[in-house]
Amino acid sequence: MAETPATQTLKFTPLSDWHAAHGARMVPFAGYSMPVQYPAGIIAEHTFTRESAGLFDVSHMGQAHVHSSDWETTARALEALVPADVLNLKPGQIRYSQLTNADGGTLDDLMITRSAAPGYEGWAYLVVNAGCKDYDYEHIAAHLNPAVSLKVEEHVALVALQGPAAVAVLGDLIPAVKDLAFMTSVGVTFEGHHLHISRSGYTGEDGFEISVPNTFVVAFWEKLLSDARVKPIGLGARDSLRLEAGLSLYGHELDTTISPVEAGLKWSIQKRRREEGGFPGAARILKELKEGPSRIICGIKPEGRQPARENTEVMKDGRLIGRLTSGGFGPSVGGPVALGLIEAQFATPGTDLVLIVRGKELPAKVVSLPFVPHRYIR
Amino acid sequence: MTTYFTKDHEYLKLDGDIATVGITDYAQGQLGDVVFVELPDVGKSFKQGAEAAVVESVKAASDVYAPVSGEIIEINTALPDNPALINEDPEGKGWFMKIRLADKSELSALLDDAGYKALTA
């Protein structure tokens, strides 16, 4: 069994003490001490999220604003860094995108929200990955023109409430969220504190991601947990939930060599950007959009019960055609599930593949994503 | 019946020259929910410390080592279809395999109850 790595340089979220006091197993993740699971365990936490509502501490993720005096200036500055259409976002609307590099690889993936708050017309709210955030901020700041500024938000935590009961639970406290459309957001005042609430998530379920002042987050977390429909969920179940939902995880399905098109994310590049380009790596990304990528991320279902893990070799007719980027056990599927980056000619659902697991051949099939249907409220 | 332990968190319950082997309660707690187990074939022999079985949780795969040299005389056929037994009752219904000891002197390399408790404290 693995030894516990040294913890002396780890950072903590405002909820770290709460997790430890409630029996969570804390592990180092992206430089933070984070709960991988609570005493209930990953399968129970995963299932509870799909059936009721799971509460996740994702305060390690980076929150920041990019702002200028007007939306067009801010949007154009962001469009120089990402392939999404930022300009046509409506106030409060959220869009998923990627920071790309000059080679068309991916530096990080992120959420971009156009502010709806009066007086903040030129503001975009960003949420980036914990493991990438320091570099992201450097990269963004270095590429902004003098009219546009980056403001890193250090005084806010981030929690996610995910699952079919999420809207009823949060709606009992904050009725305004009941009418919030998927991928839109609203700012509210709750018990004297400003909360930024997004109807979005990383589980395939309906739910919310809520930015909360550090000083209020423990009280807010406990308030949500006082509802019997809510339980705390660790990073272990967060990973199995996103894997079943077919959602990319940076460092796995995305990295500096994998383009958004190869990652199966061409839906996140809107029409105007496909026509105009003007983002880093556009030459490669537009070519892949036109001709199709030579390799692509797809869903892979191993036969039987044995999970196949990240980096497992994927074979077709005795030839290496790619590797798994994520792999594990899907509690809702009731069996192993995986994502792999393979030669695009073999990525058609139904294609038989072979995985090499511990030196043995394990039969597998390409399947369409997601493994578990999304239940977003549109 | 005497119980011995390894530093890799296997236990061995000795009855005559037959050792019932599995992973400890501490080990199953560290692994989390077990979703897959691969057991050796009956009749196969292992050297002490050799990889004899595989146990996989939601998060990770781990090897289970033969705590003593010997021949596999029985495996727990209930485990592959119900690997959760390893979490529910690791030192009872969640046993992995029975080994006929080849060399009793190997037992001196193992920990006793107090030694294992000290290791996992």
Side-chain angles (χ1 to χ4, degrees):
Chain A
M1 321 229 82
E3 297 298 314
T4 306
T7 55
Q8 63 269 25
T9 59
L10 288 176
K11 291 183 272 189
F12 298 91
T13 81
L15 287 160
S16 289
D17 288 344
W18 190 95
H19 303 314
H22 290 78
R25 181 173 316 141
M26 305 301 284
V27 297
F29 180 83
Y32 284 80
S33 174
M34 298 299 291
V36 66
Q37 65 167 82
Y38 297 89
I42 293 174
I43 292 178
E45 291 171 25
H46 175 114
T47 306
F48 190 84
T49 303
R50 292 252 187 265
E51 291 172 354
S52 188
L55 185 61
F56 303 74
D57 177 17
V58 287
S59 303
H60 56 315
M61 297 188 79
Q63 301 180 69
H65 284 94
V66 167
H67 63 98
S68 73
S69 58
D70 64 284
W71 179 248
E72 179 163 357
T73 303
T74 299
R76 296 270 184 214
L78 286 170
E79 287 194 356
L81 297 170
V82 306
D85 190 330
V86 181
L87 191 57
N88 78 350
L89 282 173
K90 298 182 182 76
Q93 192 182 354
I94 307 165
R95 192 158 274 164
Y96 169 76
S97 192
Q98 307 83 30
L99 293 166
T100 49
N101 64 26
D103 301 324
T106 308
L107 298 170
D108 197 5
D109 59 343
L110 76 168
M111 295 291 226
I112 302 172
T113 304
R114 177 174 176 178
S115 173
Y120 291 83
E121 284 74 16
W123 288 60
Y125 166 64
L126 311 183
V127 179
V128 302
N129 280 302
C132 303
K133 64 185 178 183
D134 294 339
Y135 180 81
D136 289 350
Y137 295 153
E138 242 176 71
H139 172 78
I140 292 168
H143 289 84
L144 293 178
N145 65 61
V148 187
S149 303
L150 173 72
K151 180 171 181 279
V152 177
E153 304 295 352
E154 301 282 8
H155 303 295
V156 281
L158 192 65
V159 300
L161 183 67
Q162 300 278 296
V167 64
V169 170
L170 195 60
D172 282 353
L173 301 175
I174 304 165
V177 304
K178 292 182 196 167
D179 301 322
L180 201 58
F182 185 66
M183 292 298 271
T184 68
S185 64
V186 65
V188 302
T189 300
F190 178 69
E191 297 186 350
H193 301 275
H194 177 76
L195 308 183
H196 180 82
I197 303 177
S198 304
R199 193 146 194 181
S200 57
Y202 194 49
T203 59
E205 299 296 326
D206 183 30
F208 303 90
E209 293 170 299
I210 310 154
S211 178
V212 188
N214 286 340
T215 50
F216 181 55
V217 71
V218 174
F220 184 67
W221 175 270
E222 288 185 328
K223 176 149 287 213
L224 289 172
L225 283 172
S226 68
D227 189 314
R229 294 169 289 185
V230 182
K231 286 183 180 170
I233 311 296
L235 292 184
R238 182 170 161 85
D239 190 46
S240 56
L241 288 158
R242 73 91 197 168
L243 183 53
E244 285 185 339
L247 300 172
S248 303
L249 174 60
Y250 192 81
H252 298 255
E253 286 69 47
L254 287 167
D255 65 27
T256 54
T257 71
I258 301 174
S259 77
V261 181
E262 289 176 330
L265 302 172
K266 66 179 182 186
W267 57 267
S268 69
I269 307 173
Q270 285 75 26
K271 186 161 174 280
R272 180 174 59 81
R273 304 307 311 279
R274 295 185 189 205
E275 288 164 0
E276 294 176 2
F279 49 86
R284 169 181 167 193
I285 289 168
L286 296 181
K287 184 169 182 281
E288 287 176 352
L289 281 169
K290 200 170 290 172
E291 299 171 8
S294 59
R295 53 179 195 165
I296 194 161
I297 295 282
C298 60
I300 296 176
K301 178 91 188 72
E303 279 180 23
R305 298 187 67 107
Q306 184 169 22
R309 309 289 177 176
E310 186 185 359
N311 286 326
T312 295
E313 294 177 331
V314 182
M315 314 289 290
K316 179 71 182 173
D317 302 329
R319 191 169 64 79
L320 182 69
I321 60 156
R323 284 177 187 275
L324 297 188
T325 49
S326 293
F329 181 83
S332 303
V333 169
V337 289
L339 297 171
L341 183 61
I342 66 168
E343 291 180 16
Q345 57 175 317
F346 302 114
T348 312
T351 306
D352 290 310
L353 302 173
V354 168
L355 308 177
I356 307 298
V357 177
R358 296 172 171 272
K360 286 185 208 155
E361 296 193 347
L362 182 67
K365 254 190 177 50
V366 177
V367 296
S368 54
L369 292 171
F371 291 98
V372 172
H374 294 161
R375 295 197 289 176
Y376 305 137
I377 306 297
R378 299 273 177 185
Chain B
M1 192 149 57
T2 315
T3 305
Y4 298 87
F5 301 89
T6 71
K7 287 177 182 161
D8 297 312
H9 308 289
E10 291 94 12
Y11 68 81
L12 175 163
K13 290 181 194 290
L14 193 64
D15 188 2
D17 65 346
I18 306 299
T20 301
V21 174
I23 66 169
T24 64
D25 187 52
Y26 175 85
Q28 71 77 21
Q30 290 292 305
L31 271 175
D33 296 319
V34 175
V35 296
F36 176 79
V37 62
E38 186 176 284
L39 298 172
D41 293 331
V42 171
K44 206 167 170 187
S45 289
F46 291 92
K47 291 271 185 223
Q48 188 176 35
E51 292 171 18
V54 176
V55 59
E56 300 213 20
S57 70
V58 179
K59 290 299 285 176
S62 297
D63 292 315
V64 177
Y65 304 104
V68 288
S69 304
E71 181 191 343
I72 306 294
I73 59 160
E74 193 180 344
I75 55 172
N76 184 354
T77 53
L79 277 194
D81 287 336
N82 192 7
L85 288 173
I86 295 165
N87 296 114
E88 290 158 11
D89 191 12
E91 297 181 28
K93 287 177 185 161
W95 65 278
F96 279 53
M97 55 208 171
K98 294 185 182 178
I99 300 178
R100 189 189 310 279
L101 249 67
D103 179 2
K104 276 204 166 181
S105 72
E106 288 179 350
L107 294 171
S108 63
L110 303 179
L111 301 169
D112 62 8
D113 200 45
Y116 186 70
K117 278 206 176 89
L119 180 75
T120 54

